[in-house]
Amino acid sequence: MINLHFQAQGETIRVDHGYALFSAISRCLGKEFHPPNRDIRRASAISSCLGEKYHHKKRDVRLALIRGRYAGDGLLKLLPSSRITFRLPSEKVALYINLSGKTLDLVGHKVRVGVPKSQGLVPATALYAHLVTTKSGLERNRFEKEIQRQLDEQGCQGRVSIGKRRTFSIHGKKIVGYSLLVSELSAEESLVLQEKGVGGRGKMGCGFFYPWNG
């Protein structure tokens, strides 16, 4: 698994841009990034039979939210350091580099995709995710239990700290999640958590972990 970074060039985007970014990339890449509903249903059925191991195998591409500087009115100003970042198996890089040179329309905000650069995952004792969602997100206690369950399945014994309650929109519907810090990780646990993430909507910027320096 590696990180594949593209420079995100433009003026501003919405702070709440996860679904818009997912949709724009889906229009460029087609079913490689967003398989047809029938394929999603088929994968779900197989997952029910074969269990979590297959489920994690199919969730092998994650997308990070774009970082920028808050400009007010719900907008982020893009910076020279702003990136569109995928976390994916190295053998899939060739399917994604065609994004370079494209212009993405994020609900009226144009983002030009720059030249790609790949980077290996680096273990860290603490990892941070800006937004994590689960089906139990409306209730913090249930959310915490579900996250702990998923970490246990990964063999991750790190210390979990749940941060701010956050929301993002899909078709006008508000989805509730939280920021998440997992610390006291071994190198192996850190790499596994970066590869697999936790929670859902991994292609909309959720559950994407970065090394945390405090």
Side-chain angles (χ1 to χ4, degrees), residues 3-203:
N3 290 328
L4 184 64
H5 304 285
F6 296 84
Q7 187 174 14
Q9 304 167 332
E11 297 299 323
T12 60
I13 58 174
R14 302 295 302 179
V15 172
D16 184 2
H17 64 270
Y19 182 71
L21 182 60
F22 164 77
S23 299
I25 292 173
S26 295
R27 289 193 290 270
C28 288
L29 296 181
K31 68 178 183 179
E32 167 55 35
F33 190 65
H34 186 201
N37 288 337
R38 63 179 179 275
D39 292 344
I40 295 173
R41 289 194 296 269
R42 180 174 180 272
S44 297
I46 296 173
S47 296
S48 297
C49 294
L50 299 185
E52 192 71 17
K53 182 177 181 180
Y54 178 86
H55 180 61
H56 279 308
K57 183 179 179 181
K58 299 306 290 182
R59 292 167 53 187
D60 60 353
V61 178
R62 307 188 77 84
L63 177 65
L65 295 172
I66 301 172
R67 296 178 174 182
R69 184 172 67 240
Y70 185 62
D73 296 325
L75 296 177
L76 284 180
K77 178 176 175 56
L78 296 180
L79 305 172
S81 59
S82 297
R83 297 287 184 269
I84 297 170
T85 299
F86 297 90
R87 186 164 291 161
L88 73 176
S90 57
E91 62 268 21
K92 286 198 170 187
V93 167
L95 300 173
Y96 283 77
I97 57 176
N98 289 333
L99 278 175
S100 181
K102 299 287 197 301
T103 297
L104 304 178
D105 184 353
L106 274 59
V107 195
H109 296 265
K110 304 295 185 181
V111 177
R112 296 181 299 279
V113 183
V115 176
K117 179 180 179 181
S118 62
Q119 178 188 44
L121 300 185
V122 178
T125 57
L127 298 174
Y128 173 79
H130 182 73
L131 176 63
V132 177
T133 66
T134 70
K135 293 180 180 179
S136 310
L138 286 174
E139 298 180 28
R140 185 184 175 102
N141 288 340
R142 290 182 61 195
F143 172 86
E144 187 171 2
K145 289 178 181 178
E146 174 59 20
I147 293 302
Q148 190 61 60
R149 184 190 68 79
Q150 293 185 29
L151 291 173
D152 289 343
E153 286 186 349
Q154 294 181 22
C156 177
Q157 302 299 314
R159 178 182 178 184
V160 179
S161 300
I162 297 175
K164 292 182 179 179
R165 183 179 185 271
R166 304 184 188 278
T167 62
F168 80 110
S169 301
I170 299 178
H171 293 307
K173 180 181 179 181
K174 291 291 185 182
I175 308 297
V176 176
Y178 299 86
S179 61
L180 193 66
L181 178 68
V182 185
S183 57
E184 301 177 13
L185 293 166
S186 69
E188 181 179 359
E189 290 170 342
S190 176
L191 291 175
V192 170
L193 182 53
Q194 288 181 70
E195 289 178 1
K196 295 184 176 181
V198 290
R201 303 177 179 89
K203 292 183 179 179

